[in-house]
């Protein structure tokens, strides 16, 4: 499995997601993550697809992985806040947004 094949899977997953084929997109992204396990942008896409597919708790787990891989990125915190909000966890959503603001300043 090459970097190129991983990137091709990500492209296919993005297309499927754009066509609202979320289960198919998630299947592709899981395959991509086997090839690119430390690529935070792929985990970010998975989190977004999981929210779109009504799986917010799994999305939070992906977003936590994004933050672990990219801890100084305010966008990672905003993503985490978005996923927590989708899961109905208002407290953690607010905390993530506050952390995002503190990273920007």
């Amino acid at each position: 499995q090459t970097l190129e094949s991983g990137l091709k899977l990500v492209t296919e997953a993005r297309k499927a997601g754009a066509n609202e084929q979320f289960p198919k997109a998630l299947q592709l992204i899981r395959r991509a993550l086997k090839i690119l396990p430390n690529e935070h942008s792929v985990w970010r896409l998975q989190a977004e697809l999981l929210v779109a597919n009504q799986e917010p708790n799994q999305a939070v787990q992906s977003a936590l992985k994004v933050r672990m891989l990219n801890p100084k990125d305010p966008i990672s915190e905003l993503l985490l806040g978005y996923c927590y909000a989708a899961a109905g966890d208002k407290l953690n959503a607010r905390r993530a947004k506050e952390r995002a603001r503190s990273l920007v300043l």
Side-chain angles (χ1 to χ4, degrees):
Q1 300 286 12
T2 63
L3 174 66
E4 203 171 304
S5 63
L7 295 174
K8 191 172 176 226
L9 287 165
V10 172
T11 301
E12 288 175 32
R14 283 190 196 283
K15 279 186 198 152
N19 292 325
E20 298 190 7
Q21 298 169 308
F22 303 123
K24 179 185 176 188
L26 284 163
Q27 192 178 18
L28 290 162
I29 216 71
R30 281 188 199 101
R31 286 171 55 202
L33 282 167
K34 287 191 174 95
I35 303 166
L36 307 164
N38 295 317
E39 183 47 60
H40 67 89
S41 62
V42 183
W43 286 100
R44 178 175 290 153
L45 179 58
Q46 183 181 50
E48 292 166 359
L49 288 166
L50 284 163
V51 170
N53 200 47
Q54 313 293 312
E55 297 180 70
N57 293 320
Q58 289 91 324
V60 166
Q61 296 310 307
S62 285
L64 287 167
K65 180 77 174 176
V66 172
R67 186 176 73 182
M68 191 189 84
L69 291 167
N70 208 2
K72 300 272 182 257
D73 179 20
I75 304 298
S76 299
E77 292 294 345
L78 289 175
L79 173 72
L80 186 57
Y82 169 72
C83 294
Y84 275 129
D89 186 340
K90 291 187 178 89
L91 178 64
N92 276 315
R94 197 177 71 234
R95 284 182 178 154
K97 283 181 189 144
E98 286 165 4
R99 278 194 303 271
R101 267 196 297 275
S102 71
L103 286 169
V104 172
L105 300 173

